[in-house]
Amino acid sequence: MHALIPALQIHGLAKAFDGFLAVNGLDLVVPAGQIYALLGPNGAGKTTTLRMVTGLARPDAGEISVFGVDALADPIAAKRLIAWLPDEPLLYDKLTPIEYLAFIAGLWNVPAADAEPRAEALLKRLTLWDKRDSRCEGFSRGMKQKLALAGALIHEPRLLILDEPLTGLDAAAARSVKDILLEQVAAGGTVILTTHILEVAERIAQRIGIIRAGKLVAEGSMAELSAGRAEGTTLEQLFLELAQEDIPA
Amino acid sequence: MIALARPGSLPWLVLHDVRVKARGREGRWGRIIAMLLLALLPIVGGAVMAWRVRGGADLPLAALGSVGAVLLGMMLVMVSSAYAHVLRLGRDRGELELLLTAPLPVARVVAARVAGVQAVVALPFLLLTAPFFLFSAAFGHVTWVAGPLVVVSVALVATALALTIATLLDRLLGPKLAKLVAQVAGVGLAAAVFALGQAPNFAPKWFDAQLAFFSQRPPAPFDWPAQAVFGPPLPLITVLGLALAASQCSAWLAAGRMEAAPADPTAAPHVPRRGRVVRFGGSATAVLFGKELKLLGRDPELISQIGQQLVFMVPILALIFTDGLVTPARLAAAGVFLAGALSSSLAWLVLCAEDAPDLIAAAPLRPGVAIRAKLAAALTPPLLMVSVLALVVLPKSPVAVAVMLPMALVAGLASAAMQAWTQPPARRSAFRKRYRSSLLMAVGEFVLLGSLAGATRLILTGSWWTLAVLAVPALMLAGVWWFRPKPAE
């Protein structure tokens, strides 16, 4: 029964800033248990959409449902299910990684018996365990991004939303982040990510949505998107083609 | 103006620096007009003073002691100012590295940076003093045109001193600790200068004695800098020679710093304290409260700045204790005022300068939980401070304590509300500049806290005026709430 409920269901979502329509009646369904890549050119409305899903921005119109929970009517219940990882890590320079994770666990009300071993496992997995008592102020961007990911995972979210998660990561760290996302999905979680690295989306996402001018212009698996096109069509070719097309009114 | 200089030349590099620093400042025209109006004061004042001393000797021997003391004070302030700029030398790496990879002599790039620091250090004092010297020259003391040259010379020596101190501290303490020590010392120096400025009100006899001591003419050649101001050739040439040598020394030291400085000294790794027990499983309120106190307690620079702002409240306290009489009612009023002022600073830090607002906004918290926890964190230190004062006052007047504690809480809440309703989100590093954009807010806060402190004193004297005085903060808060900006998403 649970598997039938989509992880995220958006209907008629709209948001304008000073007359500019950033999201324009967006409809989107993200099935549970998948990695969903939301792609689009700069300014297409990806981040605005995700910020509305996470409760950071209020839509002008539309509906958002997270695992069947109305995110606009009951934002607290929806937020319990979600973790949000933007491209700029949400950290405190004067806290240590272990203090940061204890802080996040407190915000999401994770019992100590669960949070403490989970924090240790995450820090070890992300090679930050040796730095657990060092303040974040001396960390590289990659280390900060990994710690923010640990923070996002400490409360075991059912829906993990990442905005450009691989920004600033070296090859090894990027690999370990991708592995963690795949594990998250294997364990029954759902991941929505935005990225400009189309190879990553092509390789790890089960479904891909392409958004432009606040509207969904294409959606499906890689096979579905490239159906009817020349064999060997890459996501990059598809993306460039769709990004140049006129949007139907 | 940059188009007038030859690309790649020293003036071109200096003008480029000036252009980059001048752009992107909000309210630039308003600031320029305000500065022009401020510049009128020394021009008018300088003209009047120059007219009054027009008939005196070209070398006023009796004034050399005072002039020397002024130059010494000017040098201290200039060193402090130069230090702040020196710390940034070589650390704004992005642009610097662009310049250093360009086909330009490195020495020229360094000289441009140092010239920028020297100019910034000298300019305020030149604006203040040059009109007097130039008007004096026009009124007959022609040799006094040397005055501005001496001011520039002092700036060159001060920059060299600041660079020397910075280099020595870096070597002795490492860049991170050196930066912290310098910032705390800078704040301490500014507070000390301010407190010294209040000395004529609090300790007039002591101040007069110090003034008499520093007005004595020092023996030659220590009076040469003061003599140089009035233009005798030998002292003037000596001072200019020293300044040029100092400038050369600055260029040499600056080149060393630019090569050696890390991009950001705070990026040096923090030395971890092993074995620290971190408790998991706290409630959202508890972790937010703890987080705020940790962030405040771990930032010595911020603490020193908060302390400095409390020192700036000294003139207000002077009003409370105007006739030198210390009574429980007056102590209670002072406690309320200080608690409100401290709460205001801390409330701004915890409410407006949240490092990760999206993290808090994305957490599943009931409305009001985060703000209540943050308020509790902001009010705890001021209430602890007032509690210490309460212990002093309690044996003399329990009633004063009974009034002071709740009034301190009201003052803390009122000033926190002012911050929350009016101040936009900002970075913690903007703490010192937070009122620059709003003089009205700064004045409003003084009136608010002054009214609450006054009301405290009136309650303890049993005056019916209390109600009228209490109406002031009530009306102010209502007005601020009514006109508060619409919250942005």
Side-chain angles (χ1 to χ4, degrees):
Chain A
M1 182 66 189
H2 258 317
L4 296 175
I5 301 173
L8 175 66
Q9 196 160 16
I10 288 173
H11 178 63
L13 196 67
K15 178 77 183 174
F17 296 105
D18 297 326
F20 169 71
L21 208 53
V23 179
N24 184 8
L26 180 71
D27 292 322
L28 184 72
V29 177
V30 176
Q34 294 192 355
I35 295 184
Y36 187 101
L38 190 61
L39 310 179
N42 290 333
K46 305 182 297 288
T47 302
T48 305
T49 301
L50 297 182
R51 286 179 65 81
M52 287 190 279
V53 172
T54 50
L56 296 174
R58 187 94 190 152
D60 296 333
E63 295 163 11
I64 301 170
S65 159
V66 179
F67 288 102
V69 175
D70 185 337
L72 301 179
D74 191 356
I76 294 177
K79 285 175 179 178
R80 278 197 196 103
L81 306 170
I82 302 174
W84 161 244
L85 184 68
D87 56 344
E88 280 298 322
L90 303 169
L91 295 181
Y92 299 94
D93 279 351
K94 301 282 180 197
L95 294 187
T96 66
I98 201 82
E99 288 171 340
Y100 176 70
L101 294 183
F103 174 65
I104 305 270
L107 290 182
W108 263 263
N109 198 23
V110 184
D114 297 333
E116 207 162 346
R118 219 179 280 161
E120 184 177 338
L122 282 166
L123 290 178
K124 283 180 174 166
R125 176 71 203 277
L126 291 162
T127 63
L128 289 171
W129 182 245
D130 288 344
K131 299 281 182 188
R132 65 190 179 279
D133 293 320
S134 302
R135 289 183 198 163
C136 303
E137 57 199 353
F139 285 11
S140 69
R141 188 186 161 88
M143 288 162 77
K144 287 182 176 178
Q145 192 72 3
K146 285 196 285 186
L147 179 57
L149 179 63
L153 295 173
I154 188 96
H155 55 95
E156 295 194 323
R158 289 179 67 192
L159 175 59
L160 178 59
I161 300 176
L162 308 101
D163 194 8
E164 296 289 348
L166 304 181
T167 307
L169 295 185
D170 60 26
R175 175 64 188 267
S176 89
V177 168
K178 281 183 273 184
D179 288 347
I180 285 173
L181 298 186
L182 291 169
E183 283 167 23
Q184 185 75 6
V185 169
T190 306
V191 174
I192 300 175
L193 63 92
T194 72
T195 179
H196 287 297
I197 311 170
L198 299 180
E199 291 82 1
V200 171
E202 191 170 352
R203 209 171 310 133
I204 67 171
Q206 278 90 34
R207 289 185 77 77
I208 295 164
I210 298 178
I211 186 173
R212 194 179 151 220
K215 278 189 169 176
L216 196 66
V217 291
E219 195 201 37
S221 65
M222 191 55 208
E224 287 166 355
L225 287 172
S226 55
R229 290 179 168 85
E231 198 175 328
T233 303
T234 62
L235 180 58
E236 186 181 34
Q237 288 165 325
L238 265 170
F239 178 81
L240 291 173
E241 187 186 310
L242 289 163
Q244 283 165 1
E245 276 178 9
D246 284 337
I247 301 166
Chain B
M1 202 193 289
I2 194 167
L4 299 174
R6 188 170 58 82
S9 65
L10 183 61
W12 185 84
L13 284 167
V14 173
L15 287 169
H16 164 73
D17 248 12
V18 170
R19 177 177 60 180
V20 169
K21 287 190 172 65
R23 283 193 183 168
R25 290 171 184 246
E26 286 174 22
R28 196 157 51 113
W29 284 109
R31 215 170 277 184
I32 288 171
I33 291 167
M35 281 180 73
L36 285 175
L37 286 174
L38 277 177
L40 273 178
L41 285 174
I43 290 172
V44 174
V48 171
M49 279 172 67
W51 180 255
R52 288 181 65 178
V53 299
R54 70 191 185 285
D58 271 347
L59 184 61
L61 294 175
L64 289 183
S66 307
V67 172
V70 168
L71 286 178
L72 191 66
M74 192 189 287
M75 166 90 95
L76 269 178
V77 178
M78 281 181 172
V79 169
S80 169
S81 159
Y83 205 115
H85 293 284
V86 159
L87 287 176
R88 288 197 285 273
L89 263 186
R91 280 172 190 157
D92 301 332
R93 301 300 292 192
E95 200 215 0
L96 180 67
E97 279 170 10
L98 174 68
L99 292 174
L100 289 175
T101 51
L104 297 171
V106 174
R108 194 182 298 163
V109 175
V110 172
R113 287 277 153 130
V114 173
V117 174
Q118 290 164 336
V120 167
V121 169
L123 202 61
F125 293 95
L126 266 184
L127 287 174
L128 278 174
T129 57
F132 167 73
F133 289 118
L134 298 178
F135 278 116
S136 295
F139 296 151
H141 294 299
V142 181
T143 54
W144 289 16
V145 287
L149 290 178
V150 174
V151 172
V152 172
S153 300
V154 174
L156 298 188
V157 174
T159 307
L161 267 175
L163 271 160
T164 309
I165 295 168
T167 308
L168 278 175
L169 279 179
D170 269 6
R171 296 238 169 103
L172 289 172
L173 306 172
K176 190 179 174 187
L177 194 56
K179 184 185 175 196
L180 179 66
V181 167
Q183 282 166 334
V184 173
V187 167
L189 181 68
V193 167
F194 181 80
L196 199 64
Q198 298 300 318
N201 301 327
F202 289 105
K205 282 182 186 166
W206 177 86
F207 186 77
D208 288 344
Q210 300 305 311
L211 208 59
F213 175 77
F214 281 103
S215 299
Q216 290 169 0
R217 183 182 170 186
F222 296 107
D223 67 344
W224 279 18
Q227 285 198 42
V229 168
F230 303 104
L234 187 60
L236 181 61
I237 290 167
T238 308
V239 166
L240 292 179
L242 270 174
L244 286 176
S247 189
Q248 192 53 44
C249 173
S250 295
W252 178 67
L253 286 168
R257 284 184 69 76
M258 283 188 184
E259 280 165 20
D264 177 4
T266 56
H270 161 251
V271 180
R273 276 168 54 191
R274 295 278 178 218
R276 184 201 299 267
V277 178
V278 177
R279 202 170 65 84
F280 278 78
S283 67
T285 304
V287 294
L288 275 162
F289 179 81
K291 184 266 285 185
E292 295 302 346
L293 290 183
K294 270 189 200 122
L295 295 187
L296 290 171
R298 288 178 184 177
D299 201 334
E301 187 194 346
L302 209 54
I303 292 172
S304 62
Q305 287 173 2
I306 293 168
Q308 185 191 34
Q309 297 203 342
L310 286 182
V311 173
F312 289 159
M313 301 295 157
V314 167
I316 305 292
L317 298 184
L319 286 177
I320 294 175
F321 300 105
T322 185
D323 51 6
L325 203 63
V326 179
T327 62
R330 290 179 180 199
L331 280 173
V336 168
F337 189 89
L338 286 175
L342 184 56
S343 303
S344 166
S345 296
L346 299 180
W348 184 88
L349 285 165
V350 303
L351 297 174
C352 308
E354 165 62 50
D355 287 331
D358 280 357
L359 179 66
I360 309 294
L365 304 176
R366 268 189 286 279
V369 167
I371 203 156
R372 280 197 295 273
K374 281 167 167 277
L375 264 180
L379 295 181
T380 299
L383 290 180
L384 284 175
M385 181 184 75
V386 171
S387 302
V388 173
L389 186 61
L391 289 177
V392 176
V393 177
L394 191 63
K396 289 179 183 166
S397 171
V399 180
V401 172
V403 174
M404 178 175 68
L405 289 177
M407 285 299 282
L409 181 63
V410 170
L413 286 170
S415 51
M418 290 269 280
Q419 297 296 330
W421 292 338
T422 61
Q423 295 298 294
R427 297 188 70 81
R428 284 179 169 246
S429 52
F431 176 70
R432 287 174 82 176
K433 302 174 189 163
R434 70 190 204 277
Y435 283 158
R436 277 192 194 168
S437 58
S438 174
L439 184 65
L440 189 68
M441 177 70 190
V443 173
E445 191 174 291
F446 268 101
V447 174
L448 179 91
L449 296 179
S451 312
L452 287 168
T456 304
R457 194 174 158 188
L458 289 172
I459 291 171
L460 289 166
T461 52
S463 167
W464 281 102
W465 281 104
T466 306
L467 292 174
V469 175
L470 276 177
V472 174
L475 287 172
M476 277 182 71
L477 284 173
V480 169
W481 183 82
W482 185 261
F483 291 109
R484 73 193 189 283
K486 198 180 163 197
E489 280 176 340

